[in-house]
């Protein structure tokens, strides 16, 4: 096997520009793990087997609009890997969804499930549409047509969807209902997670992504990750995005004693150094459609929020928010990636030079898929766990994963001279940067997939 994807990739951005294609970024991140995982370099072709998606589907969805017209939408589902178990990953409704974005998100799901040690591979899906311009009836018909078009490509033991940007519990209920109508007489609850509580959802799932991010941050600070910041309650925090991940992150960090100085959504941001009342901001958003206009706070452009003075910045919206363009102006001491892919490789390097740590997405937002896994287990067993049980299990998993990443980074830094030699052997361009927490997390996760792949072997 030879690489059809990338021969020699440059990790160092050339001429102050960087390629923001999420799948190129994912490949760069994969390449960064190579000096640390000898098996990838000694088994020719293994790199492509681990990195390339197992299956990529594109479907065209004719949907009846409220005005009687028909409109076609494009949907994607990428099953990245089933090396460690069935595919698992959210479905996104957004105008910018495309195949490369879905591929990258699916790859990150594979890594995330491995890092927190749940028995899933990775997948992701999306429909290119603007859900804010669509009625509930139209969204229901888009969802149902998408699930029927995917047919047997999803299933409780093969590929299990969940919520992502601009999809929610209602979308998951439609997915469950559609799949169930197509498979009568079976226990179909485990085909999708993030369902409403009344339809087999798990206690704790709606806030799980944010709750996981809070557990990770708390533990990172407890073990001295930022020496001058001992605990969350002493921190000022800004959160980009005020949806599932962002709202609950602001709410839970605030409940843990932190001061939320800024939040934003797609329309703009608000800043108040004295602290925002997160519940009142949510009431304002529910009443007006945005956090913008919240009384008493300074109004910001959407991206300005990223640069406000604070201890911890929580990007919880979309990819490519902190890039070569604005990384120099980030004022926080710690970035907690509640979103997937918000910091680019170029920005990673600038932030590392500025001694700003990044708790990477595959660790920081893994709480969502961990509780999705708990929902799946409950559905398979026809059980309902108590919320405190779910939270205790989640806390344990997130703290353990945090420790593993921090410990791995220390080991990689200590072995830097040796790994530089390995880097030169695989003839990558440029010098090997000092590994950060993202590299450590990816090395752990890719390593787990490499071991499983070699143990399984290839059949037929
Ligand atoms: P959501 O649809 O609930 O919320 C998205 C939020 O982002 C909204 O408040 C929206 O206004 C805001 N937003 C959109 N564009 C923006 C922009 N340009 N600037 C500022 N804000 C903007 O979505 P979500 O589920 O909270 O997902 C957010 C991120 O978290 C995504 O990267 C997603 O992949 C990731 N994530 C979500 C889950 C989950 O369980 N929902 C799990 C893991 C990771």
């Amino acid at each position: 096997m030879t690489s059809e994807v990338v021969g020699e990739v440059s990790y160092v951005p050339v001429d102050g520009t960087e390629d923001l294609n999420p799948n190129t970024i994912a490949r760069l991140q994969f390449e960064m793990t190579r000096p640390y995982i000898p098996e990838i370099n000694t088994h020719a072709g293994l790199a492509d087997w681990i990195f390339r998606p197992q299956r990529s589907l594109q479907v065209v969805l004719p949907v009846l609009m409220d005005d009687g017209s028909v409109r076609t939408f494009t949907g994607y589902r990428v099953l990245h890997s089933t090396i460690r178990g069935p595919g698992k990953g959210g479905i996104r409704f957004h105008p910018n969804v495309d195949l490369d974005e879905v591929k990258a998100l699916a790859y990150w799901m594979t890594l995330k499930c491995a890092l927190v040690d749940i028995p899933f591979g990775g997948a992701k899906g999306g429909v290119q549409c603007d859900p804010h311009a669509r009625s509930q009836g139209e969204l229901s018909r888009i969802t149902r047509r998408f699930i029927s078009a995917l047919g047997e490509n999803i299933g409780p033991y093969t590929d299990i969807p969940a919520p992502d940007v601009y999809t929610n519990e209602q979308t998951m209920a439609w997915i469950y209902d559609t799949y169930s109508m197509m498979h009568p007489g079976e226990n179909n609850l485990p085909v999708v997670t993030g369902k409403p509580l009344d339809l087999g959802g798990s206690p704790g799932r709606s806030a799980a992504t944010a709750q996981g991010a809070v557990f990770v941050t708390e533990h990172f600070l407890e073990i001295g990750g930022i020496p001058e910041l001992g605990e969350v309650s002493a921190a000022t925090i800004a959160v980009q995005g005020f949806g599932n991940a962002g709202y609950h992150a602001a709410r839970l960090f605030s409940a843990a004693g932190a001061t939320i100085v800024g939040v934003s959504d797609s329309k703009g941001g608000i800043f108040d150094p004295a602290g925002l009342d997160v519940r009142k901001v949510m009431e304002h958003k529910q009443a007006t459609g945005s956090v913008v206009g919240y009384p008493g706070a300074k109004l910001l452009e959407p991206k300005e929020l990223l640069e406000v003075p604070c201890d911890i910045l929580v990007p919880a919206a979309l990819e490519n928010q902190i890039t070569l363009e604005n990384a120099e102006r980030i004022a926080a001491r710690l970035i907690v990636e509640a979103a997937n892919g918000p910091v680019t490789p170029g920005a990673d390097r600038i932030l590392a030079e500025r001694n700003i740590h990044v708790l990477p997405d595959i660790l920081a937002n893994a709480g969502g898929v961990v509780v999705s896994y708990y929902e799946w287990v409950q559905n398979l067993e026809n059980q309902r766990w108590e919320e405190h049980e779910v939270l205790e299990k989640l806390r344990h998993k997130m703290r353990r994963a945090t420790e593993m990443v921090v410990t791995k980074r220390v080991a990689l830094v200590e072995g830097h001279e040796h790994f530089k030699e390995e880097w030169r052997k695989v003839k990558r361009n440029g010098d090997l940067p000092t590994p950060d927490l993202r590299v450590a997390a990816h090395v752990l996760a890719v390593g787990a997939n490499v071991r499983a792949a070699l143990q399984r072997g290839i059949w037929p």
Side-chain angles (χ1 to χ4, degrees), residues 92-94 105 109 112 124 132 162-168 205-206 208-210 239-247 264-268 285 289 291 302-303 305 315-319 321 337-342 361 364-369 372:
R92 173 176 294 197
F93 285 179
H94 194 278
L105 291 164
M109 286 306 300
K112 205 179 291 184
K124 204 79 180 193
H132 295 119
D164 194 74
V165 175
Y166 297 156
T167 59
N168 53 30
R205 175 60 184 93
S206 56
T209 304
V239 182
Q240 184 203 35
F242 208 59
N244 177 281
Y247 162 65
S264 71
D265 59 26
S266 60
K267 302 209 174 84
K285 183 170 168 87
V291 299
K303 279 211 153 180
L305 184 279
L318 295 168
E319 305 91 75
Q321 297 303 301
E337 292 186 324
N340 286 305
D361 45 12
N365 71 38
V369 74
S372 272

Side-chain angles (χ1 to χ4, degrees), residues 223-265:
I223 59 182
I226 312 284
E228 62 279 20
L229 186 64
E231 52 189 37
V232 162
S233 61
T236 54
I237 299 187
V239 182
Q240 184 203 35
F242 208 59
N244 177 281
Y247 162 65
H248 287 298
R251 182 178 68 76
L252 292 169
F253 273 120
S254 171
T259 306
I260 307 302
V261 294
V263 297
S264 71
D265 59 26

